[in-house]
C-alpha cells in the first residue's frame, strides 16, 4: 500500500461507522453502500495532495446544475465555498476554477 492511499475495505468500513459519513452514504447511494468504482477511485487518491482539476470540475458541475439564472429562476445566484489550507492552494484552486469555467 502506497503512503496516503487507503484500502477499499478500510474506506467502506470508515463510511459505515455511525455519524455524518454513514448518513451521507445511506441517503446518497442506493442500498446504503458506496459503489465499488467510487471506492477504487477514492483508494487511489492521496489525501495530502489537492487535485485542483477535480475541485474545479466539481465547482463547474454544481454551478451548471444549480445556477438559478440559467434555470430561468428569478432567485439571486448563490456561492460555492471551497476550503483549502493556504495561500498557494487558494491560488491554485482559483486558477483551476477560472480555467475550467472559461473553457
Amino acid at each position: 500500500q502506497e503512503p496516503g492511499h487507503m484500502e477499499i475495505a478500510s474506506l467502506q468500513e470508515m463510511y459505515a461507522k455511525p455519524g455524518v459519513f454513514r448518513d451521507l452514504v445511506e441517503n446518497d447511494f442506493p442500498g446504503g453502500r458506496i459503489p465499488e468504482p467510487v471506492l477504487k477511485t477514492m483508494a487511489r487518491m492521496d489525501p495530502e495532495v489537492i487535485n485542483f482539476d477535480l475541485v474545479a470540475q466539481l465547482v463547474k458541475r454544481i454551478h451548471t446544475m444549480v445556477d438559478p439564472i440559467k434555470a430561468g429562476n428569478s432567485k439571486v445566484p448563490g456561492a460555492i465555498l471551497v476550503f483549502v489550507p493556504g495561500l498557494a492552494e487558494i491560488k491554485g484552486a482559483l486558477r483551476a476554477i477560472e480555467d475550467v469555467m472559461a473553457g
Side-chain angles (χ1 to χ4, degrees), residues 32-43:
R33 292 187 59 81
I34 299 174
E36 193 76 17
V38 174
L39 289 171
K40 286 181 180 178
T41 299
M42 290 169 65

Side-chain angles (χ1 to χ4, degrees), residues 65-77:
M65 289 180 63
V66 182
D67 187 358
I69 293 173
K70 289 184 180 178
N73 296 332
S74 60
K75 295 180 182 177
V76 176

Side-chain angles (χ1 to χ4, degrees), residues 1-70:
Q1 180 177 349
E2 295 178 40
H5 291 68
M6 297 183 76
E7 303 254 351
I8 291 173
S10 298
L11 284 166
Q12 191 67 277
E13 182 180 315
M14 180 176 75
Y15 287 105
K17 290 180 182 174
V20 176
F21 288 128
R22 185 174 74 187
D23 293 345
L24 289 172
V25 171
E26 287 175 355
N27 292 330
D28 294 334
F29 292 101
R33 292 187 59 81
I34 299 174
E36 193 76 17
V38 174
L39 289 171
K40 286 181 180 178
T41 299
M42 290 169 65
R44 287 193 306 266
M45 294 175 66
D46 183 348
E48 299 297 320
V49 177
I50 299 172
N51 184 336
F52 294 115
D53 186 51
L54 179 62
V55 171
Q57 291 295 335
L58 179 59
V59 168
K60 182 177 181 180
R61 175 83 172 155
I62 292 168
H63 176 69
T64 57
M65 289 180 63
V66 182
D67 187 358
I69 293 173
K70 289 184 180 178

